[in-house]
Amino acid sequence: MLEFQVTRSNLHQFRLIETDALSPIQNGEVLVRIERFSFTANNITYGVAGDQLGYWHFFPPHGEDTSEQGILPVWGFAEVIESKSDELPIGDRLYGYFPPAEKLKMRPTNVSKGQFIDGSEHRSKLPPGYNVYRRVEAEPGYNRAIDNHRALLFPLHVTSFCLWDSLQNKDWHNAEQVLVLSASSKTSLGLGFALKEDTNAPHSIGLTSARNAGFVESTNYFDQTLTYDQLEKIDKSKPTVIVDMSGNGDLLGKLHKALGDNLMHCINVGMTHWDEGVQNKDINAEKSEFFFAPGHIQKRLKDWGPQGFAEKSGSFLMKSAQASATWLKVKEVEGLAELETYYPQILDGKFAPEEGLIIKL
Ligand SMILES: NC(=O)c1ccc[n+]([C@@H]2O[C@H](COP(=O)([O-])OP(=O)(O)OC[C@H]3O[C@@H](n4cnc5c(N)ncnc54)[C@H](OP(=O)(O)O)[C@@H]3O)[C@@H](O)[C@H]2O)c1
């Protein structure tokens, strides 16, 4: 079996290894063959925050000399190829969280017609949302033709939906403008779309690097697009909320300082600029909040019930995926070796934002 591993302390070091270390499945377990998965900056962040948020624990690496190695989880589709579970037959197709590898052993628990939870012991203390797998063939209206868009966008745009939900629920923190940082990321674009759709949303400004500004502007999602070297064009006299996908301490420090009392709130979501450093003395920690989408989802599952959440988020996801189809170019490549080609580009922010990488196995 092939498996893509990185060095936990140095994400620039990676290896694709061939291992036969998967032991036979036991009673209650299944073996799945991973069919395809997406790879974006989000997967890099799983590594950057791997120690802090526990992402290294989902999929322990196989093979030899693994003490320094880690697996970056990915979102995608798989098929059951061996089963010792009474409830999950061979042939079932799944959507969820997988390793960038050819196969995964799982222990289905709480199996219903539409989903199950991987009850493997080492995953029991991890955020529950990541342990849920959808049995896609049982979904009403399931359409295999949108698998790539789903793997690429749904995990990110459900966060965009949660961000919009949180912002409007808090009355936009009394802000008159929303600054979205690292605006060319798919998570930011999903939020831009949500803000555009909401006639009550404040003025939105997408901030991005010069090379990605033309693309962000072309989506027409934000009321205004600015580059990181045009911060002087932001009206600092307006009460402002920041939604940050960049994790760029220097950029955040500059904005917090310039906005002063007009910074109403700052929501820290992502770390696309992971190699820039997150600390800065000018960041106002009291007005900053770390946003964890799985946490927000758990809250809304309680408030709205699973059906209510599925309806509200599902309708947004369909609309945002349809809108994204106008700009998103799916780049589907075959074989795990292709991840060796594209991983460094994604790691270094050199992959075009309008493209979405799908690795098909
Ligand atoms: N907290 C949560 O629950 C949660 C949930 C989902 C996603 N997120 C986070 O949101 C962020 C966006 O993820 P995504 O998958 O949507 O991203 P993506 O679409 O892959 O974003 C690509 C963009 O990120 C920036 N970028 C990426 N790598 C860079 C680098 N090395 N140096 C400088 N810029 C770089 C560039 O944007 P610019 O030029 O515009 O800066 C690039 O166009 C990730 O950090 C992800 O983990 C958080």
Side-chain angles (χ1 to χ4, degrees):
M1 173 186 86
L2 284 173
E3 186 171 272
F4 184 85
Q5 303 178 350
V6 298
T7 303
R8 292 197 307 277
S9 58
N10 178 2
L11 296 180
H12 281 103
Q13 279 177 7
F14 57 91
R15 68 182 191 185
L16 185 63
I17 60 148
E18 176 79 51
T19 167
D20 53 4
L22 277 189
S23 54
I25 55 168
Q26 304 295 310
N27 279 341
E29 290 185 331
V30 297
L31 181 69
V32 305
R33 184 185 71 78
I34 294 150
E35 275 178 14
R36 63 183 61 236
F37 60 84
S38 62
F39 203 95
T40 69
N42 185 38
N43 306 93
I44 304 292
T45 304
Y46 292 144
V48 179
D51 290 328
Q52 205 186 343
L53 298 177
Y55 289 112
W56 296 127
H57 300 300
F58 279 97
F59 307 111
H62 294 96
E64 289 171 10
D65 301 326
T66 56
S67 60
E68 304 291 315
Q69 303 301 114
I71 303 261
L72 299 172
V74 294
W75 290 94
F77 291 82
E79 182 183 354
V80 179
I81 53 168
E82 283 178 33
S83 177
K84 287 194 176 176
S85 154
D86 295 336
E87 297 175 293
L88 209 66
I90 290 174
D92 230 54
R93 289 188 67 246
L94 314 173
Y95 166 74
Y97 215 43
F98 294 104
E102 288 176 320
K103 291 174 192 163
L104 174 69
K105 264 197 317 182
M106 306 171 84
R107 179 169 287 278
T109 56
N110 302 67
V111 184
S112 66
K113 197 167 156 247
Q115 65 179 47
F116 70 89
I117 291 171
D118 184 359
S120 298
E121 178 57 29
H122 68 278
R123 294 178 67 161
S124 61
K125 293 199 177 69
L126 296 165
Y130 294 114
N131 291 337
V132 177
Y133 290 82
R134 307 284 308 179
R135 304 175 69 187
V136 293
E137 303 288 357
E139 289 177 346
Y142 167 67
N143 177 3
R144 199 169 180 153
I146 65 160
D147 281 1
N148 284 348
H149 281 77
R150 182 171 175 177
L152 270 167
L153 296 176
F154 281 25
L156 306 172
H157 285 191
V158 77
T159 302
S160 317
F161 169 78
C162 290
L163 286 165
W164 164 81
D165 176 47
S166 169
L167 283 166
Q168 57 87 32
N169 191 43
K170 302 253 169 63
D171 216 3
W172 312 102
H173 299 275
N174 296 319
E176 288 172 24
Q177 61 185 0
V178 186
L179 297 186
V180 181
L181 276 49
S182 208
S184 71
S185 67
K186 291 167 189 68
T187 311
S188 294
L189 290 167
L191 175 59
F193 174 74
L195 297 174
K196 188 185 166 179
E197 290 284 288
D198 185 342
T199 48
N200 294 319
H203 182 77
S204 65
I205 304 177
L207 279 171
T208 184
S209 46
R211 68 176 183 281
N212 294 329
F215 161 64
V216 173
E217 200 143 34
S218 74
T219 64
N220 222 6
Y221 287 168
F222 297 99
D223 295 323
Q224 203 180 349
T225 301
L226 294 175
T227 64
Y228 299 129
D229 44 20
Q230 293 178 320
L231 303 188
E232 78 285 351
K233 293 197 177 167
I234 298 167
D235 183 350
K236 321 286 186 320
S237 70
K238 279 189 178 171
T240 302
V241 60
I242 296 176
V243 185
D244 177 42
M245 264 34 105
S246 76
N248 184 331
D250 183 46
L251 175 65
L252 282 168
K254 280 185 197 154
L255 288 168
H256 283 221
K257 189 174 178 190
L259 285 161
D261 289 345
N262 283 327
L263 174 67
M264 309 309 284
H265 198 65
C266 178
I267 306 178
N268 301 116
V269 187
M271 288 193 270
T272 56
H273 300 192
W274 63 277
D275 43 359
E276 293 287 339
V278 290
Q279 309 293 343
N280 188 283
K281 64 175 177 34
D282 291 321
I283 292 177
N284 186 335
E286 279 174 20
K287 289 187 178 175
S288 301
E289 162 205 7
F290 172 64
F291 189 89
F292 187 51
H296 187 86
I297 293 171
Q298 288 303 317
K299 176 184 157 3
R300 282 314 201 189
L301 284 170
K302 276 195 197 130
D303 297 345
W304 299 337
Q307 185 67 18
F309 182 79
E311 278 167 17
K312 285 179 209 278
S313 61
S315 128
F316 174 78
L317 290 173
M318 290 317 290
K319 273 195 282 176
S320 66
Q322 261 166 18
S324 308
T326 60
W327 56 262
L328 178 64
K329 298 185 188 86
V330 176
K331 186 174 187 71
E332 184 181 288
V333 294
E334 200 158 339
L336 266 178
E338 291 287 345
L339 190 53
E340 290 189 296
T341 308
Y342 291 103
Y343 172 78
Q345 293 179 28
I346 293 177
L347 187 66
D348 293 335
K350 292 185 178 142
F351 195 74
E354 65 271 33
E355 291 198 60
L357 182 67
I358 292 285
I359 307 282
K360 181 173 174 285
L361 303 183

